[in-house]
Amino acid sequence: MTSVIDPTIDGVYRIRVYNNDRYMDLATDGSHVKISPLDVASQSQMWIITPIEQGVYRIKNTADGSFLTHANGGEWDGYKKGYLRSQAKGEGKGQPEAATLWKVEPREHSSRITPTDASLTNQLFIDSCDQKTVHFWSSNSSGVHQNWVFERLSVLPHTGTRNFQNSFFKLTVKEAAKPARPYDIIVIGTGIGGGVLAGSLFETNSKTGCRAKNVLVIEKGDLVFHSHCLNTARPTGLANDRGQQNDTFFAKFKEDYTFSKDTNTKDWHGGPMYCLGGRSAAWGLFSPRIHDSTLKNRFPKNVNDALWSKWYTKAEKLFMLSLPQTGTIHRHTMERLNMAAQQLSLSLDVQWQWGRIASEFRDERNFDFAEGAYSTIDKLLEIAMSKPKIREVVSDDGKTKVTRDLELEHENFKILINAEAHRLKVNKFTKKFEGVYVRDASGEEYLIEGKEVVLAAGSVESPTILLRSELNLPNSVGKITDHDILYWTAPFRYTRPGRREEVGSMKLQTYVNLGGGHVALGNMSVDASSFLPRGESPDEDMPKFIMVFILQNPLVQDSSITLDENGKPIVKIVRYVHDEERSQLVRMQELTFASIRSMKETLGLEFVGEPGDAKDIGFKYLELGGVAHELGTLPMPNKNKDNAYCVDEDLKLAGGYEGIYVCDLSVFPYSPEANPTLTLAALSLRLSRYLTRDTYFEKKDNETVSVVNRTGKKLQVWLSNRSNAPNDERGYTIMGPGDLKEWRRVHGKPESLFVFKPDQTAKEGEEKYLAEPELLVAHPGVVTAIY
């Protein structure tokens, strides 16, 4: 929503009393216009305003399509100067057109509205002084009751200014602060952490019916991308460079932090992206798992077990992880690279394979399109575009009724963009979360109340929100850390003409044992320059070879996040110093040199500036933040739980606080050797299930069979009584979405549950189920879920 003083754009508006929370509201019978508190779902408070000429407008109500006009006399003309009403069907014949035209006089912060009808002897203005009805009154330049503000909800299609943002994201901060029922969960941020969580919560809501959680998702930025940047147009030159170019988008749209004076800003190239989807709009393609040893030794056991047994697999499915087509030449190249590493006798444990990419390269099914690179934007836009609709009457002359659809917000799920979550409201005595103070684009602040909140605003913004909230936090807050990324690059040419097209681009990955318990992630790009510096080349058309190593390290204790006098974050980030740096460097040089020789022999490459020996390979360091991996500012416990952690294993804020969770890279207790995207997505899915857990999933008594419907559809079920339990309920039971049904049965004797799903061939309004049921086994004492 946008508040304006002059509705120059043809659109749907609410008309609000200036400095008041009351709105023009057409009475149900159209007999008068009243002044009412905001009702987000009420069409009688929505007006289509159409410019006729400079400063003159026609105003029509969306509820019945009637025009706003005026009348005199009767019970609603208490001040004997006239009042507002709608033009009834058939009216207007013989009436001057000016009776439905209104002049808007803009002032500094609001406007006055006057009729253009020359039949009125005196100049009158729309007034609301009694706070009940809208009527006419003589000019009162200082009277606030004659001042109005127009809140634009949407732009009508034919204006030419229609876009995704104003079409699908109409919710305002003010509206969000007055929900029909309190929010159960508020999610702050829409990057990988918050976006994956939000999408999962929406899917759960769609299947739980009356048990659905009321969810609000808050994003600081607006709609910049409609999908991952690599699914859209990219800069020219890709035919030669073959690069992803996502670093180009990141550099264009990222913002800068304010750093402390002792931070080496020349060693920083990161920053946040404030937009729907956050940095998932530009990053997140390479999605390896954290190495077993790192996860086992650096993360809590419960987290390690949960990720490996379940949530990594679910995250990979969500990301549509896929591999390129493997030809004979690719397989042969990888085999030769692996043998070259083994011959070094350094126990590097190298196993080169295709990089794990969060993208569907292609879909072999006819007319079923590949989905491309993964970003949370796609799911959030899908949700925004699937809102329920109501039928709006555009016009009705008694003979022909013209209607069109008007979208409403989802009943239990809302997305609020262009809104900054500033700080939390937490009860000082109970330490229970009560709400979020949110600022709109103009800086006006509102309290949005809720039961639980998930901070997913990023490794700087999430701790900043907590620091502003003046909570009692451990001194481990703000230890912002990024791992070292070393790279070496060189241009090359193929000695055999045509080989470049045969091989194509290759992006390979392997874990590398660097000794001393340290594992690195090795990345090799061949003619696929990826996100890294392309390096100098005598000919820009030449393909590039890039070798990259991502190291692991503990959180840096010298890093910090503090607030200035205005509550803005001041960031100090320090690069970690590796004690074993020299020995690790030698192993990386040896592996890189062996890989260069293998590629020469296997593919016939000729390198420009080829090193004569391993020690000639001079690695460079990528700037901190360069690929959006900074983390650790609100860490969970480590394996031994001997660190000063900020959130527990369920990502709940420690220190006795209730209803506050964190789900972004800030919760990592260690900076791993792998891109952290997949791990964060897995943690998000795990948290979603935790937040939507139901008490009915707790263990029941041993003589009760409990069944819950999680299909999102109405079902017909029947439970057997093999145990001859007394007082059995015979017959079929209809279960709506989210319904729980219980039967008394005998402990230790399983029963057969017959599930009849809806018949898709049924006519509209007809309740019909399939004749053949699905059969499940239901045990007394256990809740059986139907999916």
Side-chain angles (χ1 to χ4, degrees):
M1 180 208 69
T2 303
S3 294
V4 297
I5 60 175
D6 192 2
T8 55
I9 297 177
D10 191 1
V12 179
Y13 295 78
R14 292 194 185 97
I15 306 174
R16 174 172 59 85
V17 181
Y18 177 62
N19 274 345
N20 200 316
D21 289 332
R22 302 177 76 84
Y23 294 78
M24 281 194 192
D25 190 346
L26 182 64
T28 304
D29 60 0
S31 62
H32 66 288
V33 177
K34 54 188 177 179
I35 297 295
S36 304
L38 175 66
D39 183 349
V40 176
S42 174
Q43 288 185 256
S44 61
Q45 291 185 2
M46 301 177 189
W47 306 85
I48 298 175
I49 302 181
T50 305
I52 303 300
E53 58 184 67
Q54 181 67 35
V56 177
Y57 303 88
R58 179 172 280 118
I59 303 175
K60 182 172 64 172
N61 193 261
T62 65
D64 61 4
S66 61
F67 289 104
L68 184 67
T69 187
H70 57 84
N72 293 86
E75 63 174 308
W76 303 112
D77 194 11
Y79 296 94
K80 309 304 180 184
K81 293 179 181 291
Y83 65 97
L84 271 61
R85 56 166 290 184
S86 69
Q87 188 180 71
K89 298 175 184 177
E91 285 188 346
K93 295 181 179 179
Q95 192 178 29
E97 183 184 20
T100 59
L101 296 180
W102 303 89
K103 184 177 181 180
V104 175
E105 297 182 354
R107 310 181 77 183
E108 184 177 1
H109 300 295
S110 58
S111 292
R112 295 199 299 174
I113 308 173
T114 182
T116 63
D117 191 349
S119 65
L120 298 175
T121 56
N122 300 312
Q123 186 178 24
L124 300 172
F125 291 87
I126 292 179
D127 195 292
S128 64
C129 63
D130 66 357
Q131 292 293 294
K132 295 180 180 178
T133 61
V134 183
H135 49 269
F136 288 143
W137 196 259
S138 302
S139 176
N140 181 355
S141 60
S142 61
V144 295
H145 302 123
Q146 291 185 0
N147 296 326
W148 304 87
V149 174
F150 300 89
E151 296 181 351
R152 189 169 68 236
L153 303 178
S154 65
V155 177
L156 295 186
H158 61 270
T159 63
T161 58
R162 190 181 190 186
N163 57 47
F164 271 83
Q165 182 159 317
N166 60 34
S167 295
F168 299 114
F169 298 94
K170 302 174 184 177
L171 183 67
T172 68
V173 177
K174 185 176 182 179
E175 293 166 349
K178 298 179 180 180
R181 67 183 181 92
Y183 296 110
D184 296 299
I185 303 171
I186 298 175
V187 180
I188 301 174
T190 59
I192 289 295
V196 169
L197 175 67
S200 180
L201 291 173
F202 181 82
E203 290 301 318
T204 300
N205 265 355
S206 68
K207 298 176 181 178
T208 51
C210 60
R211 298 180 186 274
K213 302 282 188 179
N214 195 19
V215 179
L216 174 67
V217 180
I218 301 175
E219 168 54 49
K220 184 176 181 178
D222 50 18
L223 184 64
V224 177
F225 301 93
H226 293 177
S227 183
H228 196 286
C229 69
L230 300 187
N231 299 334
T232 62
R234 283 171 276 163
T236 58
L238 290 182
N240 299 326
D241 183 55
R242 301 197 186 196
Q244 295 172 188
Q245 297 287 346
N246 47 344
D247 58 320
T248 302
F249 288 96
F250 182 53
K252 181 83 172 176
F253 292 98
K254 74 178 180 66
E255 300 195 23
D256 293 324
Y257 297 125
T258 300
F259 289 96
S260 63
K261 294 181 179 179
D262 51 350
T263 295
N264 179 14
T265 56
K266 293 182 180 180
D267 194 24
W268 173 261
H269 193 63
M273 287 178 64
Y274 297 125
C275 60
L276 190 73
R279 296 191 299 198
S280 78
W283 297 115
L285 279 192
F286 284 96
S287 301
R289 299 184 179 193
I290 295 176
H291 191 270
D292 295 14
S293 62
T294 307
L295 196 63
K296 179 179 179 181
N297 296 326
R298 305 295 183 177
F299 286 73
K301 184 178 186 303
N302 288 347
V303 173
N304 171 63
D305 294 345
L307 294 187
W308 279 101
S309 64
K310 183 175 185 178
W311 298 110
Y312 264 147
T313 301
K314 288 188 173 294
E316 288 166 344
K317 183 178 180 180
L318 174 69
F319 278 15
M320 303 171 295
L321 283 190
S322 59
L323 299 174
Q325 288 187 335
T326 304
T328 303
I329 187 64
H330 304 122
R331 188 179 301 107
H332 180 60
T333 299
M334 286 184 267
E335 289 173 352
R336 298 301 300 179
L337 285 168
N338 291 329
M339 285 189 284
Q342 293 173 3
Q343 292 171 2
L344 292 174
S345 301
L346 292 174
S347 300
L348 297 176
D349 300 331
V350 165
Q351 188 63 47
W352 289 106
Q353 56 186 337
W354 288 117
R356 299 160 64 86
I357 306 293
S359 175
E360 185 178 72
F361 286 103
R362 62 182 62 81
D363 196 309
E364 303 297 345
R365 294 165 292 182
N366 289 340
F367 303 106
D368 200 347
F369 294 94
E371 297 185 45
Y374 176 82
S375 170
T376 61
I377 303 171
D378 298 82
K379 182 62 179 180
L380 297 174
L381 264 181
E382 175 189 307
I383 294 170
M385 292 188 290
S386 62
K387 294 176 184 177
K389 297 178 177 63
I390 60 173
R391 190 60 56 87
E392 171 208 349
V393 178
V394 178
S395 64
D396 186 357
D397 60 6
K399 296 180 179 180
T400 304
K401 180 184 289 187
V402 180
T403 63
R404 65 179 173 187
D405 289 334
L406 184 69
E407 287 186 333
L408 301 177
E409 295 292 334
H410 289 289
E411 181 180 0
N412 297 310
F413 192 97
K414 296 174 177 61
I415 302 176
L416 177 64
I417 68 174
N418 235 353
E420 179 187 4
H422 189 258
R423 65 192 187 282
L424 308 182
K425 180 182 179 183
V426 180
N427 188 297
K428 293 184 178 180
F429 301 101
T430 64
K431 292 189 171 183
K432 189 174 182 179
F433 168 76
E434 295 180 345
V436 184
Y437 291 97
V438 181
R439 296 179 176 180
D440 63 17
S442 68
E444 192 168 354
E445 188 172 273
Y446 299 85
L447 174 63
I448 299 180
E449 297 179 337
K451 299 177 183 178
E452 294 179 311
V453 65
V454 181
L455 296 174
S459 292
V460 172
E461 285 295 323
S462 286
T464 295
I465 292 171
L466 292 178
L467 290 171
R468 289 195 194 114
S469 307
E470 298 182 347
L471 306 184
N472 184 20
L473 303 171
N475 59 11
S476 57
V477 171
K479 307 304 180 185
I480 186 167
T481 302
D482 195 6
H483 43 207
D484 283 344
I485 300 180
L486 287 76
Y487 68 94
W488 182 84
T489 179
F492 67 88
R493 61 176 61 90
Y494 285 95
T495 56
R496 285 177 50 188
R499 197 64 183 271
R500 185 178 187 184
E501 291 304 316
E502 178 188 357
V503 176
S505 299
M506 295 182 67
K507 294 183 180 182
L508 308 178
Q509 287 186 329
T510 181
Y511 296 109
V512 183
N513 177 18
L514 296 182
H518 290 276
V519 175
L521 184 67
N523 299 264
M524 183 189 300
S525 291
V526 181
D527 201 6
S529 53
S530 188
F531 52 83
L532 295 166
R534 277 73 174 164
E536 297 181 1
S537 173
D539 184 350
E540 287 302 317
D541 290 343
M542 292 185 67
K544 313 290 191 306
F545 173 90
I546 304 175
M547 191 72 154
V548 182
F549 292 94
I550 303 178
L551 308 187
Q552 57 174 280
N553 54 257
L555 303 184
V556 179
Q557 299 304 305
D558 289 338
S559 294
S560 65
I561 296 175
T562 56
L563 301 182
D564 65 11
E565 63 276 9
N566 297 314
K568 301 292 185 181
I570 303 295
V571 178
K572 177 185 177 182
I573 184 167
V574 179
R575 187 181 288 275
Y576 181 77
V577 178
H578 291 266
D579 294 334
E580 308 87 352
E581 183 173 5
R582 181 56 198 164
S583 61
Q584 293 176 354
L585 182 61
V586 169
R587 285 173 168 253
M588 290 185 283
Q589 288 174 321
E590 291 288 350
L591 178 58
T592 302
F593 188 66
S595 299
I596 291 171
R597 288 182 299 176
S598 177
M599 298 295 279
K600 287 180 59 179
E601 297 170 0
T602 307
L603 298 179
L605 305 188
E606 185 178 273
F607 288 86
V608 176
E610 180 181 343
D613 193 80
K615 63 178 181 295
D616 295 332
I617 295 175
F619 286 102
K620 295 181 179 179
Y621 284 81
L622 192 68
E623 297 96 332
L624 298 175
V627 288
H629 293 176
E630 65 273 16
L631 47 70
T633 51
L634 294 167
M636 68 174 78
N638 58 23
K639 176 187 176 181
N640 299 320
K641 300 183 180 181
D642 55 4
N643 60 326
Y645 55 89
C646 297
V647 299
D648 64 17
E649 297 172 19
D650 294 319
L651 307 187
K652 179 181 176 183
L653 189 65
Y657 291 99
E658 292 295 329
I660 304 174
Y661 297 83
V662 183
C663 190
D664 52 35
L665 292 181
S666 63
V667 303
F668 279 53
Y670 189 80
S671 185
E673 73 293 326
N675 314 49
T677 306
L678 182 72
T679 302
L680 177 57
L683 290 171
S684 298
L685 293 173
R686 175 175 175 259
L687 178 60
S688 171
R689 180 58 60 87
Y690 181 81
L691 293 174
T692 55
R693 67 196 186 282
D694 292 291
T695 55
Y696 56 64
F697 274 107
E698 297 175 359
K699 185 176 177 62
K700 299 291 181 178
D701 72 80
N702 291 332
E703 294 187 346
T704 298
V705 170
S706 304
V707 177
V708 62
N709 179 6
R710 302 303 295 267
T711 65
K713 301 176 181 178
K714 188 180 288 188
L715 303 173
Q716 181 177 261
V717 302
W718 182 84
L719 184 72
S720 67
N721 187 9
R722 297 174 57 248
S723 58
N724 295 317
N727 303 318
D728 178 42
E729 296 181 26
R730 296 290 181 180
Y732 295 96
T733 298
I734 302 298
M735 297 184 66
D739 283 357
L740 175 71
K741 174 65 179 175
E742 296 181 338
W743 294 264
R744 299 298 292 177
R745 290 294 185 266
V746 175
H747 172 59
K749 292 189 176 181
E751 299 289 349
S752 300
L753 178 67
F754 293 78
V755 180
F756 299 85
K757 293 191 173 180
D759 188 341
Q760 302 300 324
T761 65
K763 299 178 181 178
E764 185 175 357
E766 180 184 10
E767 191 171 299
K768 185 179 179 182
Y769 300 93
L770 296 173
E772 294 294 328
E774 293 182 9
L775 187 61
L776 300 177
V777 179
H779 297 268
V782 178
V783 177
T784 301
I786 306 173
Y787 292 100

